């Protein structure tokens, strides 16, 4: 309805002006006017997470959204981000896998998943880079097809060892 447009404009103004409390209040006012606009719950959770670092309240709002849309991967992904920021990697991994099982994908998603796996398993970028670099160095002097294919096979095995290749997901069918 037309009644919410000024509140949305105010909300955007408050976000730009870095006034998270008033932005949250504007989103809550929008929810009073149009309670079916559940995406505002995610927006409130985002503000609590990124601006106020209030993990409990951000989880509350993400879980409220989850109550309405249990098959939407967005809330699972955001809950995972909350746990990631709190350095609770096992919970972050649990929720990111649920998001993946519900269809979350894409380059950004894969980066998040890999980052969680690195942290969960104490992997370092240095280890990965040095292993791939040594393989490239090992095969670089040969330019024939077989050596290049062997190099890529070994790089793939490094990806697998460091969790960079998607593993079986216990939540998927």
């Amino acid at each position: 309805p037309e009644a919410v447009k000024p509140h949305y404009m105010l909300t955007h103004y408050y976000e730009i002006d870095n006034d998270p409390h008033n932005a949250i209040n504007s989103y809550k006012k929008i929810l009073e006017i149009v309670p079916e606009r559940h995406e505002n719950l995610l927006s409130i959770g985002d503000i609590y997470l990124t601006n106020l670092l209030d993990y409990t309240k951000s989880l509350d709002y993400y879980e409220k959204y989850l109550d309405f849309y249990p098959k939407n991967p967005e809330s699972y992904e955001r809950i995972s981000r909350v746990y990631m920021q709190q350095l609770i990697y096992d919970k972050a991994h649990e929720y990111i896998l649920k998001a993946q099982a519900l269809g979350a994908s894409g380059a950004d998603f894969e980066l998040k998943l890999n980052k969680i796996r690195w942290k969960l398993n104490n992997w370092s970028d240095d280890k990965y880079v040095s292993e791939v670099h040594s393989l490239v160095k090992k095969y670089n002097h040969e330019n024939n097809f077989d050596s290049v294919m062997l190099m890529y096979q070994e790089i793939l095995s490094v990806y697998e060892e460091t969790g960079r290749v998607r593993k079986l997901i216990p939540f998927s069918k």
Side-chain angles (χ1 to χ4, degrees), residues 33-93:
I33 298 169
V34 281
E36 66 276 4
R37 299 294 302 264
H38 303 122
E39 69 275 4
N40 292 307
L41 296 169
L42 293 176
S43 299
I44 293 171
D46 290 345
I47 293 171
Y48 276 119
L49 179 63
T50 56
N51 297 80
L52 300 174
L53 301 175
D54 189 332
Y55 304 120
T56 304
K57 286 189 179 178
S58 65
L59 278 175
D60 288 344
Y61 280 93
Y62 295 151
E63 287 170 355
K64 284 178 186 179
Y65 182 83
L66 194 58
D67 290 341
F68 291 107
Y69 304 101
K71 295 191 184 228
N72 187 328
E74 257 186 296
S75 54
Y76 291 104
E77 215 173 318
R78 284 183 162 118
I79 290 170
S80 174
R81 193 173 68 195
V82 172
Y83 287 121
M84 185 72 171
Q85 286 189 10
Q86 294 179 78
L87 310 179
I88 306 172
Y89 302 123
D90 55 335
K91 293 292 270 182
H93 191 247

Side-chain angles (χ1 to χ4, degrees), residues 126-143:
D126 294 339
K127 177 185 179 228
Y128 166 75
V129 168
S130 67
E131 287 187 33
V132 171
H133 181 61
S134 68
L135 289 172
V136 170
K137 233 165 103 177
K138 178 179 170 184
Y139 292 102
N140 198 28
H141 65 281
E142 299 175 32
N143 284 328

